[in-house]
Amino acid sequence: MSEQQWNAVDRYLGEHLVGADPVLDDALRDSDAAGLPAINVAPNQGKFLHLLTLIAGARRVLEIGTLGGYSTIWLARALPADGRLVTLEADPTHAEVATANLRRAGLLDRVDVKVGPALDTLPQLEGPFDLVFIDADKPSNRDYVGWALRLARRGTVIVVDNVVRGGRVIDATTGDAAVDGTRRLFEYVATEPRLTATAVQTVGGKGYDGFLLAVVTADV
Ligand code: SAM
């Protein structure tokens, strides 16, 4: 099956199950105009995060890796009016674009964009969060899941994006820091008794990748 077909199927799924959304379209347009890379989740993946947040009944969400706030909008829209989302972003320009996008989406009342390397801002946070979405620098993924656990409760859902890396995750010899970081993540999650997890491979408009889904199964 070709990449062209993955893209066409993603468009089909998007047309049927996601639909037109001027707020999200504007967020992507302004992110592009500001020179941000198009490494946001795809629309059907954003909707998937939205559904997971609803299924979890989440009131407090943590996101690591904001970019222009595209996934943030999907997550925050699933929160009740008194819900809170904290999103961590290292790049001040990305954070500025995201803040403008969230303001236009009418979500700034429930979203806090924290600027700085996540490993510096995470110690300032107070849990528990009900859902954590990890989508920042891949070499730090193991540390981010460690922090997610520290800021969790029994039942917290943890999602990590981009864990298949075009299939290269099975190769210990790539010398690619993102692949090596992802492999450390799997080794950690596999041996952490407070987590139960799976990972799912995905294809589509964002290529061949996948996500890890974990639930905290113990009091932390
Ligand atoms: N979640 C976003 C979405 O789907 O719309 C995409 C996030 S993008 C893949 C990764 C983001 O993580 C970038 O904006 C990058 O600047 C940010 N980032 C990279 N290293 C970081 C770090 N150490 N701490 C916080 N954010 C970081």
Side-chain angles (χ1 to χ4, degrees):
M1 212 189 280
S2 68
E3 204 164 325
Q4 203 183 5
Q5 189 160 10
W6 299 349
N7 286 330
V9 173
D10 248 12
R11 276 196 300 278
Y12 175 87
L13 300 177
E15 279 162 22
H16 283 81
L17 301 175
V18 183
D21 194 318
V23 168
L24 287 166
D25 292 346
D26 288 352
L28 289 183
R29 186 204 56 220
D30 284 6
S31 298
D32 187 49
L36 272 54
I39 50 175
N40 50 278
V41 295
N44 53 346
Q45 295 169 337
K47 181 91 182 262
F48 180 77
L49 292 171
H50 178 82
L51 291 173
L52 273 183
T53 311
L54 287 176
I55 292 164
R59 306 180 75 82
R60 296 201 70 209
V61 170
L62 170 63
E63 178 181 56
I64 307 178
T66 318
L67 192 65
Y70 183 79
S71 53
T72 322
I73 292 172
W74 275 115
L75 292 163
R77 278 177 171 177
L79 290 174
D82 62 346
R84 297 295 303 166
L85 185 153
V86 179
T87 184
L88 310 181
E89 174 54 55
D91 186 316
T93 305
H94 295 187
E96 208 176 297
V97 173
T99 301
N101 284 334
L102 289 159
R103 183 176 295 115
R104 184 173 42 216
L107 293 165
L108 259 194
D109 60 333
R110 67 197 71 168
V111 178
D112 181 10
V113 183
K114 283 198 179 297
V115 186
L119 291 176
D120 292 348
T121 50
L122 280 161
Q124 301 164 14
L125 303 182
E126 232 179 86
F129 290 93
D130 307 310
L131 183 140
V132 182
F133 175 49
I134 300 172
D135 188 19
D137 53 315
K138 311 308 173 186
S140 302
N141 271 344
R142 184 238 168 274
D143 293 335
Y144 292 152
V145 173
W147 270 104
L149 253 181
R150 241 173 279 178
L151 295 167
R153 57 163 172 82
R154 182 190 285 268
T156 292
V157 175
I158 301 172
V159 186
V160 187
D161 200 12
N162 308 124
V163 298
V164 172
R165 316 212 62 77
R168 297 168 79 225
V169 68
I170 59 172
D171 187 349
T173 66
T174 62
D176 178 333
V179 171
D180 292 345
T182 306
R183 291 175 62 82
R184 281 197 300 279
L185 166 76
F186 277 110
E187 281 150 27
Y188 172 59
V189 171
T191 54
E192 170 50 69
R194 295 169 294 173
L195 290 175
T196 183
T198 189
V200 175
Q201 302 184 68
T202 56
V203 294
K206 298 287 170 178
Y208 169 35
D209 216 318
F211 59 87
L212 179 140
L213 180 66
V215 176
V216 179
T217 53
D219 293 326
V220 288

